[in-house]
Amino acid sequence: MEKLIEYIKHFVIPFFFIISLSLIVVLIFKRIYYQYTLPYKHRIIRKSEIFLTEITLSSPDKNILKYKIAKFKSEIPISKSWCKKMLIEDLIRMRSNLKGKAAKNILVIYKKLDLNHYSASLIRDFRKYKKYEGIHHFQALCYKPGISLLKKYLFDPNKIIRSNANIAYLALSKGDWQAVDKLPIKISIITTIKVMDVLHTENIPLPSDIDLWIQSKNPTILKLAIMAMVFYNYRNKSAEIIKLLHHEDKALKIDVITAIQDLFLEEAEDEMLSLFYNESIEIQLEMLEALAAIGSEKTIDFLKNEIPKQEIKDLKLKMVCSLDNLDREVLNTLGKQDSDTQKMINHNRKLEL
């Protein structure tokens, strides 16, 4: 035991002390180097901002553009990764605020500075976060030649890489949905939000396979189909949408109810009324919201019977709101018969004001 203590005292403790001291020295030198190079980086950032703004907003001919880019490359450390990353971030930021010829100039600069090759090297990198970064570059800068490289990752075993590659491919191809059935299931919310963002920003036409998507067993594809149908106001598959009210996926069911309301599918009324008491309170609240928009006399009769005997406050309030939207006179009559209902009527109408 004494030997062990002596060993720790003379070897282990000094060893860890030296390691700790070395790390501290390295961190200090890194900080000093960072502070030393910071003014230089700021000058490069400022120079690049001026150059990119001038080239983007003006329209120099090819020879002048070639000369200016060559001169700019000789004045900055273009070989450094931090410089390439900074330039690409500036180009992405500028492109998001520009249209027409100015936006095309951004892409010309991206290629002339060989930054497209840097983005491609990131996609080929074994590190996942680097791949995400490179894929984002291609999508954000609308670099269509990058489609050929993205195709290699449309069916990647990694779900996040596959998702990002599919979204970027969709944006660059302007609506080629060939790999949509391989979108990952477990990140469906993120994926569908990204897809819908692409639909909004790229003006992509209605997918030709949308009628097949609504038949899919994959909840992600079903969610995407429903959201796309709402986006394009596509009502041709209303029966298939209504059938999904029986789906076991709760989140998907909420999307279906929202779609029924947004597409104003009045034919879903009977199905929702018949399923109402088989569902959780959360789903019931969503149904009442939709019924307030599409409901007929059937819904009015249903609510007229249910409101007086409903004991769950949240449900009763939502029922009052729905009936107030469909038939105020019937609701006023119920309010006169029950003080609790009248309070909810007053509360709802006060909120409307």
Side-chain angles (χ1 to χ4, degrees):
M1 189 66 180
E2 290 181 1
K3 288 184 178 181
L4 179 60
I5 294 172
E6 286 295 316
Y7 177 78
I8 292 172
K9 185 185 297 184
H10 290 92
F11 294 100
V12 177
I13 293 177
F15 173 77
F16 279 106
F17 176 76
I18 293 170
I19 292 294
S20 300
L21 186 61
S22 300
L23 287 173
I24 292 170
V25 171
V26 168
L27 290 172
I28 290 172
F29 272 107
K30 283 188 72 174
R31 184 64 185 177
I32 292 172
Y33 177 77
Y34 172 78
Q35 290 296 128
Y36 178 77
T37 58
L38 195 58
Y40 171 69
K41 287 185 177 181
H42 280 311
R43 286 197 300 272
I44 297 300
I45 290 170
R46 181 60 183 157
K47 184 186 288 289
S48 71
E49 287 175 347
I50 294 171
F51 168 78
L52 293 176
T53 302
E54 178 189 345
I55 294 296
T56 302
L57 298 181
S58 63
S59 299
D61 60 44
K62 290 183 180 179
N63 291 328
I64 294 177
L65 180 62
K66 186 177 180 180
Y67 167 75
K68 287 189 173 184
I69 288 177
K71 184 174 182 294
F72 175 65
K73 285 176 73 173
S74 67
E75 295 173 347
I76 62 170
I78 191 69
S79 61
K80 300 290 186 181
S81 294
W82 68 264
C83 185
K84 292 176 182 177
K85 185 175 181 180
M86 176 267 296
L87 287 168
I88 292 174
E89 288 174 352
D90 283 346
L91 290 172
I92 290 173
R93 186 177 65 255
M94 293 180 72
R95 193 185 187 284
S96 66
N97 296 311
L98 296 172
K99 292 183 179 180
K101 193 168 183 179
K104 290 181 180 178
N105 284 346
I106 293 288
L107 196 57
V108 170
I109 297 168
Y110 179 61
K111 290 188 285 187
K112 291 290 185 182
L113 290 174
D114 293 323
L115 296 173
N116 55 323
H117 295 135
Y118 172 68
S119 298
S121 70
L122 293 178
I123 295 175
R124 294 189 182 99
D125 197 291
F126 71 93
R127 290 166 291 185
K128 294 173 186 175
Y129 74 94
K130 292 288 187 182
K131 289 184 184 295
Y132 307 152
E133 190 177 345
I135 291 170
H136 172 66
H137 291 171
F138 279 3
Q139 180 181 342
L141 291 168
C142 200
Y143 181 62
K144 291 185 179 179
I147 286 176
S148 58
L149 180 57
L150 290 174
K151 278 185 176 181
K152 299 177 182 179
Y153 298 93
L154 293 180
F155 304 98
D156 193 274
N158 182 280
K159 294 176 181 179
I160 301 179
I161 293 174
R162 188 165 77 240
S163 172
N164 287 330
N166 270 272
I167 302 303
Y169 181 85
L170 173 62
L172 297 181
S173 64
K174 295 290 184 180
D176 185 347
W177 301 81
Q178 65 170 310
V180 73
D181 62 328
K182 294 295 180 181
L183 288 172
I185 296 174
K186 292 186 179 178
I187 55 170
S188 59
I189 295 176
I190 297 173
T191 301
T192 48
I193 288 173
K194 287 180 179 179
V195 171
M196 296 312 296
D197 181 60
V198 169
L199 295 184
H200 279 278
T201 56
E202 302 296 337
N203 296 318
I204 292 174
L206 175 72
S208 58
D209 290 338
I210 197 167
D211 288 349
L212 298 177
W213 297 356
I214 202 68
Q215 307 291 342
S216 176
K217 301 296 182 183
N218 183 337
T220 299
I221 308 305
L222 290 172
K223 183 182 182 71
L224 182 56
I226 292 164
M227 293 180 74
M229 286 177 179
V230 171
F231 178 76
Y232 293 104
N233 196 30
Y234 184 76
R235 296 165 51 93
N236 290 16
K237 290 294 177 178
S238 58
E240 284 78 359
I241 294 175
I242 294 168
K243 186 178 178 181
L244 289 175
L245 286 170
H246 296 271
H247 201 280
E248 60 184 14
D249 188 293
K250 182 180 177 182
L252 178 63
K253 197 178 295 187
I254 290 174
D255 290 330
V256 170
I257 297 168
T258 302
I260 288 170
Q261 178 179 346
D262 292 342
L263 293 172
F264 205 74
L265 301 182
E266 295 174 304
E267 56 269 42
E269 181 183 26
D270 288 342
E271 197 70 19
M272 281 202 284
L273 290 175
S274 67
L275 292 172
F276 186 81
Y277 278 113
N278 296 327
E279 300 293 348
S280 65
I281 293 178
E282 184 180 358
I283 298 294
Q284 287 176 339
L285 292 171
E286 295 291 337
M287 284 182 166
L288 289 168
E289 184 75 25
L291 287 168
I294 68 167
S296 66
E297 287 297 328
K298 294 176 184 177
T299 298
I300 293 171
D301 289 340
F302 170 79
L303 294 173
K304 185 167 61 174
N305 292 325
E306 293 299 322
I307 288 174
K309 60 184 181 182
Q310 181 57 246
E311 297 180 355
I312 300 174
K313 294 292 184 182
D314 289 343
L315 270 182
K316 185 169 183 175
L317 178 59
K318 180 60 74 172
M319 285 179 175
V320 166
C321 295
S322 297
L323 187 54
D324 199 25
N325 192 67
L326 294 170
D327 194 323
R328 287 201 162 195
E329 292 304 317
V330 171
L331 184 60
N332 288 338
T333 302
L334 292 178
K336 292 174 182 177
Q337 298 169 359
D338 175 47
S339 60
D340 191 40
T341 301
Q342 187 60 52
K343 288 178 183 177
M344 290 184 176
I345 294 171
N346 295 339
H347 173 74
N348 181 56
R349 291 176 181 173
K350 186 176 180 181
L351 290 177
E352 289 178 352
L353 296 174

